[in-house]
Amino acid sequence: MPLVKEAEILEFARQNGFAVPGFFAFNYEFIKEIIDVAEEENSPVVLCQGPEFIESFGEHIFTEACKAAANNAKVPVALAVDHTFVTDESTIPALLRDISLGGWSSFMLDGSLLPYDKNVSYTKRLVDICKGAGVNACGALGEVRRFFPQAMNYSGPFKDDFVVPPESMTDPIQAKDFVEKTGVHTLAISIGQYCRSLWDGEKPPFHKTARLDFERLASIRKNTDVHLVMHGNTHVHESDLEKASLSGVSLIKIASEQALLWANEIRDFTLSHSEIMFPEDIQRTALKQVKESMRHYIRLLHANDKVKKR
C-alpha cells in the first residue's frame, strides 16, 4: 500500500469513530516495529518524529527509510513531523527543510507556550507555507507541560495527584478564533494531559494519573471543525484515552512511554549480558517491549481491524 497523506488517515478515523495512533521512530529499528505491529493489528498509523531527531538521524537517509517502509506496508501509513523542542525564529526554517525532503505530509508548530498573538503569527506562516506545498499544518493551543526548556516553569516532578490547571488547557472559544485566524488543518489541544520529565527516574509500569476534561473536549469539538490531536499521553489514565478516541480526537500520539521502555530495558540488558556484542541482539528484548506497548495502544484507541486484510 503506498504512502498516504495524514489528512486521508485522519478523515478515515473521523468517519469510522476511532483515533489513529501516532508512534515515534526513535531510531531506525523503531521504524520496522511500527510497521510490523500496525500490519499485525490491521491498523492505520502515523509515523512521527521531530525536526531535531530527523536531522541527527541524517534527514535524507531517515526520510527515505520511512518512505520505503510506508510504501511497502500492507496498511495506510502517513509521515508527520512533530514539534521542535523550542519554538522560536529557528522553527520555520527547520520545518522548511523537512518539507523539502518530501514524504512528510504534516508539520507541527507548537506555539502554545508563546503569547497568543505570536502563536497565531507563527502558525499562520506555517499554514501558508504548507498550503503551497500541499501538506498539512498542525497548530497547538493550550499547554501540555513537559520537559522542554520553555516549559520549565514548575519545580520538581509532578505528584501523582497533579491536575493541570484549567487556565493552562485549551480554551474552546479561543480555539475557534485560532483556527479561523490561522487556517490550520489540525489542532493539538490540551485537555488535562501532561508529560513528566524524562529525567525524573520513573520506571515501568508508568503512573497513569492524568485525567481528561471531556466537557472541554466536547466544547472544542463544537467550536472547531478541524481534526483534533492529543500529545503528551504517556501518563493519561487509559480509560480516558480510550474515551477520547471515541469522542472526536482523530490522532493520539504516544512517545515517552516507548522511549523509556527501550532505554530501561537496554540498561538492564547490558548490565546482565556483558557477553553480548551485536546491537541487534542487545536491542531485541527492548524492541519487543516497545512493539507490545504499541499494540496495546492500537487496541485501546480502537484502531485495530480498521483496514481490510490484503
Side-chain angles (χ1 to χ4, degrees), residues 18-21 23 34-35 37-46 74-77 298-299 302-307:
F18 70 99
V20 178
F23 296 135
I34 292 170
I35 301 300
V37 73
E39 289 182 339
E40 291 167 11
E41 294 296 319
N42 297 303
S43 168
V45 68
V46 176
K74 298 175 183 177
V75 295
V77 180
I298 287 172
R299 295 178 180 181
H302 296 269
N304 57 307
D305 295 326
K306 292 297 188 295
V307 181

Side-chain angles (χ1 to χ4, degrees), residues 10-30:
L10 299 192
E11 187 57 32
F12 178 74
R14 173 184 279 178
Q15 293 177 6
N16 289 275
F18 70 99
V20 178
F23 296 135
F24 286 67
F26 284 109
N27 60 27
Y28 282 84
E29 287 74 17
F30 270 59

Side-chain angles (χ1 to χ4, degrees), residues 44-87:
V45 68
V46 176
L47 192 158
C48 309
Q49 197 43 271
E52 293 90 351
F53 286 103
I54 293 171
E55 182 179 21
S56 69
F57 294 159
E59 59 261 36
H60 295 286
I61 299 173
F62 181 70
T63 298
E64 291 304 314
C66 292
K67 287 164 62 177
N71 277 317
N72 288 281
K74 298 175 183 177
V75 295
V77 180
L79 309 183
V81 176
D82 200 51
H83 56 78
T84 51
F85 288 160
V86 176
T87 301

